[in-house]
């Protein structure tokens, strides 16, 4: 795997992590957290961990985003920070 | 100076993982919203998983599935499967524990009507 | 508080960064973790378990004990979600059920204990935050469900040869049920996989895994030593291990599917399992 692509993906993961904890809207934070999981999945493919990447794509980007959105829907979208 | 840069180039990914881990830790400590804390927990977990899997990566190695053309004579041709197994199960457990955390968050919201930690503390002290 | 947290986090980050020089560089084939155990797994997997995917071999056979308790943890998480949200909820919540009279379109609101029998054909139950469903979205989502399930079964059964296995297949099966819940409503999911069936399925998955391990004792092997089934399957020891891995993967898939569907049902309906997203 080309080193520059790895660095770019790592930077994208960090950007998504910072974005998901700074967005002042919980629904947006949940969606960005799903994006973060998908970027993580790409990073794992670059390390030849295909099984882990498959699991992360189905669980991190799929089920946990749905659960998070369900929790936001049943509680509140408002957040102070 | 040049050696230091080369050293940094070989280890740059560790600094990235530590940065992600510290972002998750900061969210768990400083954010007052309980769902933000759950997201911070998820970020912290994935940083540790990245660290484990990066230990098992090998330069020029293929995925850990037997390739009949390559054979198993040289183990360096395949990535180390052990960290993959440990982290695969950890991801599944992490989503199950996220479900438990969200259930607790919903119960707290039903009892107090808010997800902000400081407001919940105020309500608890006021009673 | 925030400054203190930031200071603590930066201090911890600097301490971690100071240890980075001790770790192997990225992709070092001679690093300590890659030298000791990994060659044994990579070279032993095919002759010992007939499984070309090393990850599945390590997951199901070499570290089967680990995976068994991870499955038990997933099951316990689902059960604790059930107890937190459903079993321990306080009585006396004011709940209103809405029914639509089909011929006229009039909506009735009924207070909690009272209900209209589901056998009454001219009334249909609707969600409190009901919005007219989009026929295109619903049809396309229900059209996708069988394909997702067939792919999930392929992932479970073909985990020996390609990326996949019980965990991924179980999650895909759960995703197909959740897709029905998102595109239709929660009551359809409840009629397909009731809460009781889901929890029994999850328990059956763990029991299938542990039972496969326990049965090996009676065939003269160790706990979770599938090679002991060689005489039962009438095959060589590695082939019996391959079959054993497939059986425990099915157990894992059952547990993960049922647990995730249960958690989704509870979290999306505030523990009532009446009205979903």
């Amino acid at each position: 795997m080309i080193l520059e692509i790895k660095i770019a993906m790592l930077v994208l993961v960090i950007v998504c992590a910072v974005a998901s904890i700074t967005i002042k809207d919980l629904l947006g934070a949940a969606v960005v957290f799903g994006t973060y999981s998908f970027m993580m999945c790409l990073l794992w493919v670059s390390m030849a961990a295909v099984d882990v990447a498959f699991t992360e794509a189905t669980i991190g980007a799929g089920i946990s985003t749905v659960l998070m959105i369900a929790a936001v829907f049943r509680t509140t979208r408002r957040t102070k920070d | 100076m040049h050696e230091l840069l080369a050293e940094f180039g070989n280890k740059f990914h560790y600094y990235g993982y530590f940065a992600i881990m510290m972002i998750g830790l900061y969210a768990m400590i400083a954010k007052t919203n309980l769902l933000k804390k759950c997201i911070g927990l998820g970020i912290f977990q994935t940083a540790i998983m990245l660290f484990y899997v990066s230990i098992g990566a090998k330069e020029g190695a293929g995925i850990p599935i037997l390739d009949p053309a390559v054979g198993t004579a040289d183990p360096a041709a395949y990535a180390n499967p052990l960290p993959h197994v440990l982290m695969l199960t950890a991801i599944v457990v992490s989503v199950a524990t996220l479900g438990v955390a969200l259930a607790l968050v919903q119960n707290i919201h039903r009892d107090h009507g808010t997800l902000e930690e400081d407001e919940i503390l105020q309500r608890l002290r006021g009673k | 508080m925030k400054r203190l947290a930031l200071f603590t986090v930066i201090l911890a980050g600097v301490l971690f960064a100071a240890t980075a020089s001790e770790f192997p560089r990225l992709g070092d084939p001679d690093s300590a973790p890659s030298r000791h155990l990994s060659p044994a797994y990579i070279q032993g997997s095919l002759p010992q378990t007939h499984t070309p995917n090393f990850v599945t071999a390590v997951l199901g056979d070499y570290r089967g004990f680990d995976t068994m308790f991870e499955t038990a943890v997933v099951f316990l998480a689902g059960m604790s979600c059930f107890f937190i949200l459903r079993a321990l909820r306080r009585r006396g919540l004011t709940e209103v059920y809405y029914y639509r009279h089909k011929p006229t379109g009039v909506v009735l609101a009924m207070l909690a204990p009272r209900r209209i029998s589901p056998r009454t054909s001219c009334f249909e139950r609707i969600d409190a935050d009901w919005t007219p469903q989009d026929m295109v979205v619903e049809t396309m989502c229900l059209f996708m469900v069988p394909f997702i399930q067939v792919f999930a079964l392929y992932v479970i059964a073909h985990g020996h040869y390609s990326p996949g296995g019980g965990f991924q297949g179980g999650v895909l099966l759960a995703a197909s049920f959740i897709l029905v819940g998102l595109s239709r409503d929660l009551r359809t999911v409840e009629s397909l996989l009731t809460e009781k069936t889901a929890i029994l399925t999850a328990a059956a998955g763990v029991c299938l895994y542990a039972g496969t391990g326990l049965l090996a004792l009676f065939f003269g092997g160790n706990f979770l030593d599938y090679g002991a089934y060689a005489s039962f399957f009438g095959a060589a020891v590695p082939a019996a291990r391959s079959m054993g891995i497939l059986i425990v993967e099915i157990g894992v898939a059952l547990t993960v599917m049922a647990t995730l569907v249960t958690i989704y049902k509870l979290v999306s309906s505030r523990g009532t399992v009446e009205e979903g997203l």
Side-chain angles (χ1 to χ4, degrees), chain C residues 116-128:
Chain C
I116 294 176
S117 163
R119 276 166 298 181
T120 325
S121 61
C122 57
F123 281 100
E124 70 171 344
R125 179 76 197 283
I126 55 173
D127 289 351

Side-chain angles (χ1 to χ4, degrees), chain B residues 13 21-22 24 28 31 34 42 52 57 72 81 99 104 115:
Chain B
H13 57 295
M21 192 194 249
M22 289 307 127
M28 282 170 70
K31 296 286 169 184
L34 293 174
Y52 260 77
T72 55
L104 288 170
L115 286 181

Side-chain angles (χ1 to χ4, degrees), chain C:
Chain C
M1 182 62 199
K2 280 205 169 150
R3 288 223 179 123
L4 190 66
L6 200 62
F7 175 72
T8 317
V9 164
I10 288 174
L11 187 69
V14 168
L15 284 177
F16 271 121
T19 62
S21 60
E22 304 289 324
F23 295 125
R25 67 183 171 81
L26 181 62
D28 185 4
D30 294 324
S31 66
S34 304
R35 254 184 298 142
H36 295 295
L37 207 48
S38 124
Y41 287 143
I42 290 172
Q43 288 172 339
S45 174
L46 193 68
Q48 286 170 1
T49 64
H50 274 196
T51 308
N53 186 350
F54 310 134
V55 175
T56 308
V58 178
L59 184 85
D61 199 330
Y62 293 105
R63 295 189 68 90
F65 212 65
D66 189 0
T67 314
M68 187 178 90
F69 283 106
E70 299 271 7
T71 317
V73 166
V74 172
F75 172 65
L76 280 179
M79 286 306 291
S80 49
C81 207
F82 176 81
F83 277 109
I84 290 166
L85 274 177
R86 188 147 170 79
L88 298 180
R89 52 195 286 272
R90 280 176 310 184
R91 301 283 159 211
L93 287 175
T94 50
E95 280 175 26
V96 188
Y97 303 128
Y98 293 92
Y99 293 89
R100 190 175 55 179
H101 188 231
K102 277 185 202 163
T104 58
V106 176
V107 175
L108 292 181
M110 308 281 280
L111 275 179
R114 276 186 229 136
R115 290 186 171 212
I116 294 176
S117 163
R119 276 166 298 181
T120 325
S121 61
C122 57
F123 281 100
E124 70 171 344
R125 179 76 197 283
I126 55 173
D127 289 351
D129 41 14
W130 186 80
T131 45
Q133 273 154 347
D134 192 352
M135 202 171 103
V136 176
V137 171
E138 190 184 325
T139 314
M140 281 319 289
C141 287
L142 294 183
F143 178 73
M144 287 302 293
V145 166
F147 294 101
I148 295 176
Q149 288 182 341
V150 168
F151 181 63
L153 292 178
Y154 165 78
V155 165
I156 296 170
H158 209 257
H160 291 53
Y161 302 95
S162 60
F167 285 108
Q168 293 93 331
V171 175
L172 280 172
L173 279 176
S176 71
F177 282 104
I178 289 176
L179 188 61
V180 173
L182 285 175
S183 65
R184 260 249 175 96
D185 50 15
L186 203 61
R187 287 181 295 283
T188 317
V189 184
E190 182 69 15
S191 66
L192 290 171
L193 186 71
T194 59
E195 257 190 313
K196 200 173 165 186
T197 325
I199 289 176
L200 284 177
T201 313
V206 179
C207 289
L208 184 63
Y209 202 135
T212 312
L214 208 59
L215 205 63
L217 291 177
F218 296 102
F219 281 90
N222 288 323
F223 187 66
L224 284 174
D225 178 12
Y226 319 125
Y229 294 126
S231 59
F232 178 73
F233 288 127
V237 170
R241 290 213 173 104
S242 177
M243 290 297 286
I245 293 175
L246 182 63
I247 293 171
V248 300
E249 294 267 20
I250 291 169
V252 169
L254 288 177
T255 305
V256 170
M257 175 199 79
T259 307
L260 288 182
V261 172
T262 308
I263 291 178
Y264 167 74
K265 277 200 243 177
L266 291 167
V267 169
S268 71
S269 68
R270 238 188 245 116
T272 56
V273 195
E274 295 278 352
E275 293 172 356
L277 285 183

Side-chain angles (χ1 to χ4, degrees), chain B residues 96-109:
Chain B
T97 48
L98 177 74
V100 178
L102 294 179
L104 288 170
V105 164
Q106 285 196 355
N107 263 8
I108 290 170
H109 183 263

Side-chain angles (χ1 to χ4, degrees), chain B residues 70-76 78, chain C residues 43:
Chain B
V70 178
T72 55
D74 180 21
Y78 301 101
Chain C
Q43 288 172 339

